[in-house]
Amino acid sequence: MAAVANPRLDEILGMLRARGGRITTPRRAIITALLTSGGHITADELTDRIQADYPDVHLSTIYRCLETLETLEVIEHIHLGHGRAIYHLADEAHQHLLCEMCGTVVEVPDALFATLATQLRAGYGFTIRPRHFAVLGRCDTCTATAAVP
Ligand SMILES: [Zn+2]
Ligand SMILES: [Zn+2]
Ligand SMILES: [Zn+2]
């Protein structure tokens, strides 16, 4: 499990190195865990996965690595709702829609927010960063269910 041959892993580690980051065991383990989980994983879930392979890696080390990897823009955290922040790899940037009723998460391209971003910048002098939080609402299924009296 720890030694997955993955071209994307090499790519991301290369990016990390190019930005001046050292490749340490916990950093590599975090990136591997994010790749194999498909992103969207809390720090606690990451810790569980990493400690399964590397029991010596301490929780505080993992948190520190998460911060460093975020500063180097290799990963980023987002908030889906009231729950804990989740992490994903920064190179697969997308926006999230969260159904408040069933918790379904839909990933949509960042570009969908481009018009809104341009208008808000021009009209209100405000640059939005829509990725940090999910947009909340209802999925089609829940909308249909809720409509039934
Ligand atoms: Zn995501
Ligand atoms: Zn945050
Ligand atoms: Zn729903």
Side-chain angles (χ1 to χ4, degrees), residues 38-108:
H40 304 171
I41 170 167
T42 66
D44 288 343
E45 286 163 350
L46 267 172
T47 303
D48 286 347
R49 277 165 177 258
I50 291 164
Q51 288 179 342
D53 285 331
Y54 307 97
D56 293 344
V57 176
H58 205 264
L59 178 70
S60 60
T61 306
I62 294 172
Y63 274 88
R64 212 168 38 233
C65 287
L66 286 172
E67 266 178 44
T68 310
L69 289 173
E70 246 192 305
T71 308
L72 294 170
E73 295 180 355
V74 172
I75 66 170
E76 66 184 12
H77 79 268
I78 55 160
H79 307 273
L80 286 180
H82 299 294
R84 300 199 168 219
I86 57 166
Y87 289 84
H88 65 188
L89 295 159
D91 68 343
E92 34 183 51
H94 47 250
Q95 170 65 313
H96 304 82
L97 312 178
L98 170 72
C99 175
E100 287 179 300
M101 296 189 76
C102 69
T104 297
V105 177
V106 183
E107 294 183 355
V108 298

Side-chain angles (χ1 to χ4, degrees), residues 116-126:
L116 177 65
T118 306
Q119 286 177 354
L120 288 175
R121 202 158 40 232
Y124 300 87
F126 192 82

Side-chain angles (χ1 to χ4, degrees), residues 25-37:
T25 300
R27 288 180 187 180
R28 176 192 283 270
I30 287 171
I31 294 165
T32 305
L34 284 171
L35 279 171
T36 53
S37 72

